[in-house]
Amino acid sequence: MLLFGVFSTNAQIQRQILGYTLGVSTRSVVVKGLEAKGFDLEIVTDAANKGPVFYLVKGGVSFGGYIWDDVRIGFVNGKFASIMCTTYLIETQSVKHKNTL
C-alpha cells in the first residue's frame, strides 16, 4: 500500500514543516538549512524551467509519525510553497489504515 500526503499553503494545517514556514521561508534558506541538517537534495530538472521549482529530498524524512521515502518540496516565486510525501507501508500499517477508511 502506498501512503501519500500533500501539504501546501492552501491546506488547513500547520504552516511550519521541517522547521520552515510555507509561504514565508525562502528557497535558499530552506535548501541550505536542509543540507546543513544532513539531507541530500536534488533539483527536479524537468520542472526547473516551468514555473515552480521542485527538489527531491533523499534519504527519508521523519514527519507526522512516518518515515517518508519520497519527499518533494516546491518553491513558487522563491518561497517555500509545497511539500509532497509518499511512503510504502508494511502490511500491519496497511491494515491499520485500511480499517480506518
Side-chain angles (χ1 to χ4, degrees):
M1 177 181 218
L2 178 68
L3 181 62
F4 177 75
V6 175
F7 314 99
S8 71
T9 55
N10 297 330
Q12 296 295 322
I13 61 166
Q14 66 188 27
R15 288 186 62 207
Q16 276 225 340
I17 298 175
L18 302 174
Y20 303 99
T21 305
L22 291 167
V24 175
S25 298
T26 64
R27 177 178 165 189
S28 62
V29 167
V30 174
V31 169
K32 288 177 186 175
L34 290 175
E35 288 175 337
K37 292 177 183 178
F39 291 104
D40 183 19
L41 278 76
E42 177 182 305
I43 194 163
V44 180
T45 55
D46 61 341
N49 296 319
K50 299 177 183 174
V53 176
F54 294 94
Y55 285 83
L56 174 63
V57 183
K58 296 181 174 184
V61 174
S62 176
F63 179 76
Y66 294 95
I67 301 295
W68 299 93
D69 299 310
D70 183 16
V71 176
R72 292 176 187 260
I73 55 175
F75 299 89
V76 175
N77 296 327
K79 302 288 185 185
F80 183 30
S82 65
I83 185 167
M84 180 178 67
C85 306
T86 56
T87 196
Y88 296 95
L89 301 176
I90 61 173
E91 182 65 26
T92 55
Q93 293 170 313
S94 174
V95 169
K96 177 183 170 187
H97 286 290
K98 190 178 189 180
N99 292 335
T100 62
L101 295 176

